[in-house]
């Protein structure tokens, strides 16, 4: 097997090639406005379970989307065929749909040419990483688990994509994005421990460190006690915090706010969480997965969404933004939650400072129960422990929670500095580990 | 894409599989797929988007010295096929270099066949104007109801033209349709909001599915129930008898029976993501999953259902088998790789990929609850204090599929054998075998309805599974209902 790198052939669509394709589409389109977008990706995943590789895949997928508009009538066609014939068919299909579609009162023409700052969206070491690199990392994780007589299940993945947006208005945006991921569930009999990472650079996955973390959690779970449901002080690791915050961030839609169908209706400018908490978007942060522009071709921007606990921003589509006179639409592609004032340096310090608490590694299957007050439910997973007098004393059976982030993030007792967090249900965020009071665990499961 | 008449595809497949055989691999297959998807979405009296996408490509799977490799590409050319085949071989060799046990596939006869979805009206032949007119009229009908502040509608149609060829000699062509439509209405009252939904099942049939659904006749009922729902009194927590409608049960079955019956989960393949299963292999044939009223049958042969594709992506013919018989867990959903691990000589044919670019994995079959003998009125008549639930709402379940919590789309109190008024914020909680153990009645076949899923998440990279679940209404005793508000 080639161990030096991965042949990405045929090459992903370059900036010049995208410009050529865009020119071709724009030339063929008879629409008043035409928007075209590109997503061309080479991605691979090595997946393992029971200390064996169970899937080992590599996929090249290139796709183009063309939107044609006549006045306020618009239609979109997508294709994976990059030939001249394929593009012409896509333009013809989008045109046909647009001509037959009714007027859309909220349609807006594509944005004009924009200025973009260069974002750190790509890393060459990830772009050239292929099956051999993924296999090397897989072996490292499995090997450590085998040495401890434990079972490993997880993934190592890497991808490189070229992404572009162009329009008849002169808009043109293009960038390369890389993404590398590692996640691992270690099984020790009935007990499991978990760790995960995602980064633009495959060199930053910290396979050994995270494997040891997952092993430690699995080994601590060998003896489990059952606690009754009820309200507990909890110490949420960053992944658990990310799970709750991701659910909150998904519901910041400005149109729903305006129509009265949002949990935040009437709360703009008001305190919604502890006043020490601030949420910012930091697209240029090298540990986040921010990008340079949105699907509309708008530049991503650093912005505050929650400032000192008060909701200061909503997620606007272009129509709603225009209606409200917002020129520069804030984006939320790289969220960072931080606490003001005295924070504890590490998760271990949070544990040390706790008299009695439940330590939660991660939440799973978080779903909205009541959209009016943003009540969520979900299960703890892969490492739930009882902390007494500053020490982890035992693993506990997994709990189901029934809580609203709008209530519990007003019950903040302590927090650390933000650190990287990703789960199978969230994008990547920077969030602190946090101690929260009176967290409602509504039931217990059988393991 | 008429797969059977495209010599280019056969040439591409032959070129790729020749490389696979020359490598010394014991097995290989190629799937060439051309998918067309049309989606029309509307909200608040406007058509927000109309899109049609063409997604074409091929994926090659190689089993080399008992280890898998898979590579895929959207560049459908005779030059790309050998490159992708070589990459799949290289990846399989890499997997083999670290394998300590070898994959052995269950035997399957060679099949050469063509499968076509029966349709009366091709959904892609129905004009955009006709579809958008239906959706706009539906939204208008919804908004005529006082108290409605938002509406949404959608129509979705998919056509998959696929060619599967294996090194064992199977050659299968598919021309498969799937279709669905839905709309909903949202009402506000006293600072709250609530949504009521109408969904056609996702089925493999033509546009006759949408025409038969009668959106315009249903819209006033849905809108008025949205208003009633938001104004309904809150539910008192406690133990209730539940009568669940077929649409609601489709989700309950999917999550609490479908997923735990996937053998790859029971064997730990999904431990890092979707999870494992409380239905471990030692429980097969002896474990009491539910009451004797509970018979859950997998049927990938029932016409119009999503998993009835003739053959799966292992090239295995679709079948019917028992998952739970008289309340006892007896069978799994399997593929050619995992079936031999529990001593079965043939796969159940439940291996499916969501696109040409994904490797097939074990997916839930069309699992349905077998009808009983009662009528819905008879089920209700024997309930003193209960709740009747329709449709899907919030749902969450642990990674071994024990502890679940379900909401619903609409709820009515049952008092002394009769449905009385709507209630809101109903969430019930249970442990899977206890819950199914409390089932004491299933309605007869005349009440049977089918509902499909196209967003069943599993696998890394994530894939969407498609399957249909059929049921008649069923009754469950003494189920724990909790409040649906924060901290309750």
């Amino acid at each position: 097997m080639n161990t030096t790198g991965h042949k990405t052939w045929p090459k992903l669509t370059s900036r010049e090639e995208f410009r050529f394709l865009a020119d071709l589409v724009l030339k063929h389109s008879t629409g008043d406005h035409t928007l075209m977008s590109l997503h061309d990706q080479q991605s691979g995943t090595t997946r393992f379970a029971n200390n064996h590789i169970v899937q080992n895949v590599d996929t090249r997928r290139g796709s183009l989307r063309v939107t044609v508009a006549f006045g306020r009538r618009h239609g979109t066609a997508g294709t994976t065929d990059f030939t001249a014939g394929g593009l012409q068919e896509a333009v013809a299909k989008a045109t046909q749909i647009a001509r037959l579609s009714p007027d859309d009162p909220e349609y807006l023409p594509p944005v004009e040419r924009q200025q973009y700052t260069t974002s750190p969206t790509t890393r060459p070491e990830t772009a050239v990483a292929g099956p051999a690199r993924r296999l090397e990392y897989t072996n490292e994780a499995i090997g450590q688990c085998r040495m401890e007589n434990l079972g490993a299940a997880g993934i190592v993945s890497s991808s490189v994509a070229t992404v572009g947006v162009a329009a008849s208005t002169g808009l043109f945006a293009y960038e390369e994005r890389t993404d590398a991921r590692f996640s691992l569930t270690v099984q020790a009999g009935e007990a499991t421990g978990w760790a995960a990472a995602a980064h633009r650079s495959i060199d930053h996955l910290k396979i050994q460190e995270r494997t040891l973390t997952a092993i430690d959690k699995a080994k601590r779970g060998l003896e489990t006690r059952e606690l009754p449901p009820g309200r507990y002080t909890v110490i949420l690791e960053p992944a658990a915090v990310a799970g709750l915050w991701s659910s909150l961030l998904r519901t910041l839609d400005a149109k729903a706010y305006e129509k009265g169908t949002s949990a935040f209706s009437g709360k703009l400018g008001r305190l919604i969480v502890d006043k020490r908490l601030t949420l910012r978007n930091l697209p240029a942060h090298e540990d986040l997965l921010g990008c340079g522009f949105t699907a509309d071709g708008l530049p991503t921007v650093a912005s505050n969404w929650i400032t000192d606990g008060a909701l200061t921003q909503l997620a606007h589509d272009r129509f709603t933004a225009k209606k409200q006179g917002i020129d520069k639409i804030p984006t939320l592609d790289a969220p960072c939650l931080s606490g003001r004032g005295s924070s504890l340096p590490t998760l271990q310090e949070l544990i040390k400072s706790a008299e009695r608490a439940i330590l939660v590694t991660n939440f799973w299957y978080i779903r909205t129960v009541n959209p009016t007050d943003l009540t969520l439910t979900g299960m703890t997973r892969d490492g739930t422990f009882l902390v007494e007098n500053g020490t982890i004393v035992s693993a506990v059976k997994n709990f189901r929670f029934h809580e609203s982030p709008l209530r519990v993030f007003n019950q903040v007792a302590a927090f650390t500095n933000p650190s990287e967090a990703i789960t199978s249900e969230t994008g990547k965020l920077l969030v602190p580990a946090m101690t929260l009071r009176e967290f409602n665990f509504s039931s217990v499961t059988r393991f | 894409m008429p797969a059977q008449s495209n010599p280019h595809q056969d040439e591409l497949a032959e070129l790729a599989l020749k490389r696979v055989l020359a490598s010394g691999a014991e097995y290989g297959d190629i799937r060439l797929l051309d998918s067309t998807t049309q989606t029309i979405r509307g909200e608040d009296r406007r058509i927000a988007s109309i899109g049609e996408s063409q997604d074409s490509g091929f994926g090659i799977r190689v089993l080399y010295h008992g280890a898998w490799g898979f590579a895929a590409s959207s560049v459908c050319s005779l030059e790309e096929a050998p490159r992708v085949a070589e990459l799949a071989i290289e990846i399989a060799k890499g997997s083999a270099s670290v394998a300590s046990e070898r994959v052995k596939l269950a035997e399957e006869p060679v099949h050469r066949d063509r499968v076509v979805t029966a349709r009366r009206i091709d959904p892609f032949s129905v004009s955009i104007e006709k579809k958008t007119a239906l959706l706009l009229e539906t939204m208008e009908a919804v908004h005529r109801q006082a108290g409605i502040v938002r509406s949404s509608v959608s129509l979705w149609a998919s056509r998959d033209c696929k060619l599967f060829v294996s090194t064992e000699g199977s050659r299968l062509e598919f021309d498969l349709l799937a279709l669905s439509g839905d709309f909903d209405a949202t009402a506000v009252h006293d600072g709250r909001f609530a949504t009521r939904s109408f969904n056609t099942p996702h089925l493999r049939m033509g546009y006759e599915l949408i025409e038969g659904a009668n959106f315009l006749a249903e819209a006033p009922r849905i809108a008025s129930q949205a208003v009633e729902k938001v104004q309904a009194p809150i539910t008192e927590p406690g133990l209730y008898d539940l009568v669940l409608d077929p649409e609601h049960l489709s989700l309950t079955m999917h999550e609490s029976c479908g997923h735990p019956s996937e053998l790859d989960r029971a064997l730990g393949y999904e431990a890092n993501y979707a999870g494992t299963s409380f239905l471990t292999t030692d429980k097969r044939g002896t474990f009491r999953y539910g009451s004797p009223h509970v018979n859950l049958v997998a049927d990938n042969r029932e016409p119009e259902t999503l998993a009835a594709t003739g053959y799966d992506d292992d090239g295995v013919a679709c079948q019917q088998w028992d998952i739970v018989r008289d309340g006892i867990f007896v069978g799994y959903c399997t593929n050619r790789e995992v079936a031999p691990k529990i001593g079965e000589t043939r796969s159940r044919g439940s291996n499916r990929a969501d696109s040409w670019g994904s490797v097939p994995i074990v997916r839930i079959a069309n699992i349905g609850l077998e009808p009983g003998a009662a009528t819905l009125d008879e089920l209700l008549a024997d309930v003193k204090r209960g709740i009747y639930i329709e449709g899907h709402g919030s749902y969450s379940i642990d990674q071994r599929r024990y502890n679940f919590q379900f909401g619903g789309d609409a709820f009515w109190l049952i008092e002394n054998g009769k449905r009385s008024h709507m209630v809101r914020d109903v969430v019930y909680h249970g442990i899977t075998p206890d819950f199914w153990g409390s089932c004491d009645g299933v309605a007869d076949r005349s009440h049977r309805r089918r509902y499909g899923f196209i967003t069943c998440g599993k696998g890394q990279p994530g894939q969407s599974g498609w399957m249909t679940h059929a049921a008649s209404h069923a009754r469950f005793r003494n189920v724990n209902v909790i409040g649906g508000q924060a901290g309750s």
Side-chain angles (χ1 to χ4, degrees):
Chain A
M1 193 174 196
N2 175 7
T3 55
T4 56
H6 182 42
K7 301 184 288 291
T8 52
W9 183 90
K11 283 182 182 172
L12 297 178
T13 308
S14 67
R15 176 184 294 271
E16 291 69 32
E17 286 165 338
F18 176 54
R19 195 178 287 279
F20 174 80
L21 294 172
D23 286 346
L24 202 64
V25 163
L26 298 177
K27 194 177 88 181
H28 276 96
S29 175
T30 55
D32 298 335
H33 299 286
T34 304
L35 176 76
M36 176 190 179
S37 59
L38 160 80
H39 192 265
D40 192 4
Q41 179 172 278
Q42 182 92 39
S43 62
T45 300
T46 302
R47 192 177 199 211
F48 48 98
N50 304 319
N51 293 337
H52 302 290
I53 292 172
V54 292
Q55 284 175 33
N56 208 348
V57 305
D58 197 289
T59 297
R60 161 71 190 278
R61 180 194 291 273
S63 61
L64 294 163
R65 284 171 67 80
V66 178
T67 298
V68 172
F70 297 94
R72 292 182 166 193
R73 293 174 294 136
H74 55 96
T76 299
T79 185
T80 48
D81 182 353
F82 281 40
T83 64
L87 288 177
Q88 283 175 28
E89 272 182 38
V91 172
K93 175 56 73 178
T95 303
Q96 181 198 10
I97 294 171
R99 287 195 185 282
L100 298 174
S101 72
D103 263 8
D104 175 6
E106 296 193 8
Y107 173 76
L108 292 174
V111 294
E112 303 290 324
R113 186 186 297 273
Q114 303 285 313
Q115 292 293 323
Y116 305 103
T117 53
T118 306
S119 296
T121 58
T122 187
R123 295 292 290 260
E125 61 274 20
T126 310
V128 299
R133 184 72 180 276
R134 298 191 288 266
L135 189 63
E136 176 194 327
Y137 280 0
T138 297
N139 278 333
E140 192 176 338
I142 289 177
Q144 281 183 284
C145 292
R146 275 192 180 140
M147 280 195 293
E148 301 266 4
N149 264 335
L150 301 171
I155 55 140
V156 177
S157 71
S158 61
S159 70
V160 53
T162 56
V163 184
V165 187
S168 49
T169 52
L171 173 75
F172 187 88
Y174 175 94
E175 69 187 11
E176 184 175 286
R177 298 174 187 167
T178 57
D179 184 290
R181 290 175 191 238
F182 170 65
S183 69
L184 173 69
T185 300
V186 175
Q187 295 170 288
E190 286 284 291
T192 55
W194 171 87
H199 206 278
R200 293 289 186 203
S201 170
I202 196 167
D203 292 344
H204 285 235
L205 293 180
K206 300 175 186 168
I207 304 291
Q208 187 178 35
E209 180 186 322
R210 291 191 161 108
T211 301
L212 291 173
T213 300
I215 286 174
D216 178 59
K217 285 179 183 293
K219 287 164 77 174
R220 283 179 186 273
L222 283 170
E223 286 182 25
T224 304
R225 77 164 80 163
E226 182 171 332
L227 294 178
R231 293 187 183 279
Y232 289 87
T233 294
V234 290
I235 300 168
L236 303 185
E237 293 200 16
V241 172
L244 298 180
W245 274 86
S246 292
S247 299
L248 186 155
L249 300 182
R250 278 195 286 268
T251 56
L252 289 172
D253 178 58
K255 190 178 279 183
Y257 185 94
E258 190 183 278
K259 300 264 186 183
T261 56
S262 162
F264 298 99
S265 291
K267 295 190 170 80
L268 193 59
R270 291 167 51 186
L271 281 180
I272 59 165
V273 292
D274 187 296
K275 63 185 178 186
R276 291 170 293 174
L277 299 179
T278 289
L279 183 92
R280 293 167 295 160
N281 189 55
L282 302 173
H285 197 295
E286 63 175 16
D287 287 329
L288 286 167
L289 302 178
C291 41
F293 52 88
T294 68
D296 289 329
L298 290 166
T300 57
V301 286
S303 51
N304 273 29
W305 285 70
I306 292 170
T307 307
D308 298 332
L311 179 64
T312 48
Q313 193 54 257
L314 295 169
H316 289 85
D317 59 83
R318 288 180 58 221
F319 177 80
T320 314
K322 189 180 176 194
K323 205 168 140 190
Q324 295 180 0
I326 295 169
D327 291 333
K328 204 171 180 182
I329 300 178
T331 55
L332 195 44
D333 51 310
C336 173
L337 177 71
S338 57
R340 180 172 47 81
S342 58
S343 62
L344 294 170
T346 64
L347 172 68
Q348 284 63 39
E349 296 296 320
L350 282 188
I351 294 170
K352 267 187 201 170
S353 67
E355 195 177 310
R356 189 168 194 266
I358 304 295
L359 171 63
V360 178
T361 298
N362 193 12
F363 288 126
W364 158 251
Y365 227 124
I366 300 175
R367 293 291 184 275
T368 303
V369 175
N370 187 334
T372 299
D373 63 6
L374 204 56
T375 301
L376 308 174
T377 190
M379 300 293 303
T380 64
R381 179 169 176 173
D382 298 327
T384 308
F385 305 98
L386 175 64
V387 174
E388 285 181 334
N389 302 318
T391 308
I392 295 174
V393 294
S394 76
V396 296
K397 286 190 177 178
N398 285 295
F399 286 107
R400 171 173 296 287
F401 73 87
H402 192 84
E403 260 301 359
S404 170
L406 299 180
R407 199 191 74 78
V408 294
F409 288 108
N410 278 300
Q411 301 286 330
V412 177
F415 49 83
T416 65
N417 291 321
S419 60
E420 297 177 62
I422 180 126
T423 79
S424 60
E425 295 180 326
T426 70
K428 189 175 184 186
L429 299 88
L430 293 179
V431 293
M434 298 175 104
T435 302
L436 306 175
R437 291 180 294 264
E438 296 192 352
F439 192 90
N440 184 31
F441 287 126
S442 55
S443 64
V444 186
T445 192
R446 292 192 174 171
F447 59 93
Chain B
M1 181 189 76
Q4 82 285 7
S5 61
N6 191 337
H8 173 76
Q9 287 200 318
D10 277 313
E11 196 180 347
L12 195 151
E14 190 183 343
L15 202 58
L17 293 185
K18 263 187 184 168
R19 295 281 180 125
V20 173
L21 286 169
S23 72
E26 56 263 39
Y27 175 82
D29 61 38
I30 181 169
R31 281 176 297 117
L32 299 103
L33 183 61
D34 185 359
S35 298
T36 308
T37 307
Q38 186 187 77
T39 309
I40 306 178
R41 294 185 198 284
E43 61 170 30
D44 305 338
R45 295 186 162 113
R46 62 181 262 263
I47 297 299
S49 66
I50 309 174
E52 189 168 312
S53 64
Q54 200 82 21
D55 183 24
S56 305
F58 65 95
I60 298 171
R61 201 165 57 139
V62 173
L63 188 63
Y64 180 90
H65 290 194
W68 287 115
F70 174 82
S73 176
S74 57
V75 182
C76 297
S77 71
L78 296 179
E79 294 73 34
E80 181 76 334
R83 180 195 78 83
V84 175
E86 292 294 348
L87 180 57
I89 294 162
E90 181 190 347
I91 291 171
K93 287 180 174 175
S95 304
S97 71
V98 297
S100 56
E101 71 176 45
R102 293 171 73 122
V103 171
K104 192 173 181 312
L105 299 179
E107 296 291 324
E108 177 67 15
V110 168
H111 300 286
R112 300 179 78 80
D113 201 356
R114 183 159 197 263
V115 182
V116 181
T117 301
R119 71 207 67 175
R120 195 159 54 75
I121 307 167
D122 181 350
F124 292 95
S125 73
V126 178
S127 72
I128 295 285
E129 298 105 303
K130 184 173 178 179
K131 291 171 178 169
T132 54
L134 170 66
L135 298 183
L136 287 168
E137 284 173 43
T138 301
M139 287 187 281
E140 282 304 322
V142 162
H143 280 277
R144 270 184 220 119
Q145 171 71 48
I148 295 296
V149 293
R150 302 205 72 177
S151 61
S152 75
V153 290
S154 80
L155 290 178
W156 171 87
S158 161
R159 184 182 183 195
D160 283 345
C161 293
K162 182 166 66 173
L163 174 66
F164 170 93
V165 185
S166 78
T167 53
E168 293 173 341
S170 283
R171 185 185 185 284
L172 300 164
E173 299 162 29
F174 304 83
D175 181 352
L176 304 171
L177 283 180
L179 204 69
S180 75
D182 61 75
F183 65 91
D184 61 42
T186 301
V188 294
H189 173 74
D190 198 20
R192 299 190 302 274
F193 55 94
T195 299
R196 177 78 168 118
S197 305
F198 176 85
N199 307 288
T200 71
H202 292 79
L203 287 174
R204 294 196 178 283
M205 55 193 296
Y207 195 74
E208 58 272 17
L209 173 73
I210 303 301
E211 293 194 335
N214 215 347
F215 279 27
L216 297 179
E218 295 288 354
R221 175 178 70 86
I222 294 297
S224 108
Q225 288 182 351
V227 173
E228 192 182 346
K229 180 179 175 181
V230 76
Q231 296 178 1
I234 206 162
T235 326
E236 287 297 318
L239 294 178
Y240 290 80
D241 294 341
L242 300 183
V243 177
L244 307 178
D245 92 320
E247 183 175 8
H248 181 87
L249 276 168
S250 65
L251 185 60
T252 316
M253 288 188 292
H254 180 89
E255 301 295 351
S256 68
C257 174
H259 280 303
S261 72
E262 293 169 316
L263 182 56
D264 62 335
R265 288 182 66 123
L267 295 174
Y269 282 41
E270 283 284 336
N272 185 56
Y273 175 50
T276 55
S277 172
F278 75 93
L279 292 175
T280 46
T281 54
D282 56 306
K283 292 192 171 85
R284 190 169 54 132
T286 57
F287 180 74
R288 178 154 289 284
Y289 174 89
S291 75
H293 294 273
V294 178
N295 291 288
L296 292 153
V297 175
D299 188 356
N300 287 349
R301 296 189 306 195
E302 180 174 333
E304 299 173 349
T305 57
L306 291 175
T309 53
Y311 303 84
D312 72 355
D313 287 329
D314 266 342
V316 174
C318 288
Q319 299 157 43
Q320 183 196 70
W321 70 100
D322 285 344
I323 303 290
V324 173
R325 176 55 56 191
D326 300 328
I328 303 297
F329 165 61
V330 293
Y332 283 109
C333 304
T334 65
N335 64 10
R336 292 183 69 184
E337 176 181 348
V338 297
K341 292 178 187 282
I342 55 167
E344 294 199 342
T345 54
R346 191 183 182 202
S347 161
R348 295 294 188 181
S350 264
N351 207 35
R352 302 194 295 279
D354 70 352
S355 82
W356 54 264
S358 302
V359 72
I361 56 176
V362 175
R363 303 305 313 223
I364 301 173
N366 292 322
I367 292 176
L369 178 65
E370 288 286 277
T375 65
L376 173 57
D377 285 344
E378 286 166 352
L379 291 180
L380 294 168
D382 197 24
V383 175
K384 277 193 179 163
R385 179 179 184 253
I387 298 170
Y388 174 71
I389 304 181
E390 282 187 0
H392 301 160
S394 172
Y395 57 100
S396 174
I397 189 163
D398 72 45
Q399 73 269 24
R400 292 186 198 169
R401 305 277 149 172
Y402 265 128
N403 178 314
F404 65 70
Q405 183 169 306
F406 287 102
D409 192 54
F411 318 96
W412 285 264
L413 202 63
I414 307 169
E415 292 173 309
N416 299 318
K418 300 278 182 201
R419 265 170 62 171
S420 55
H421 57 83
M422 276 184 117
V423 287
R424 65 181 163 92
D425 298 341
V426 174
V427 178
Y428 69 92
H429 160 260
I431 296 289
T432 297
D434 297 345
F435 171 77
W436 285 99
S438 75
C439 178
D440 76 340
V442 182
D444 63 32
R445 186 165 290 276
S446 69
H447 295 79
R448 186 177 187 265
R449 300 287 181 273
R450 304 178 294 188
Y451 288 90
F453 294 89
I454 60 164
T455 55
C456 169
K458 190 181 173 188
Q460 292 175 295
Q463 297 190 45
S464 294
W466 294 16
M467 64 290 293
T468 298
H469 303 299
S472 304
H473 300 75
R475 185 176 59 209
F476 300 81
R477 298 292 193 185
N478 290 318
V479 181
N480 186 23
V481 171
I482 59 176
Q485 298 80 40
S488 58

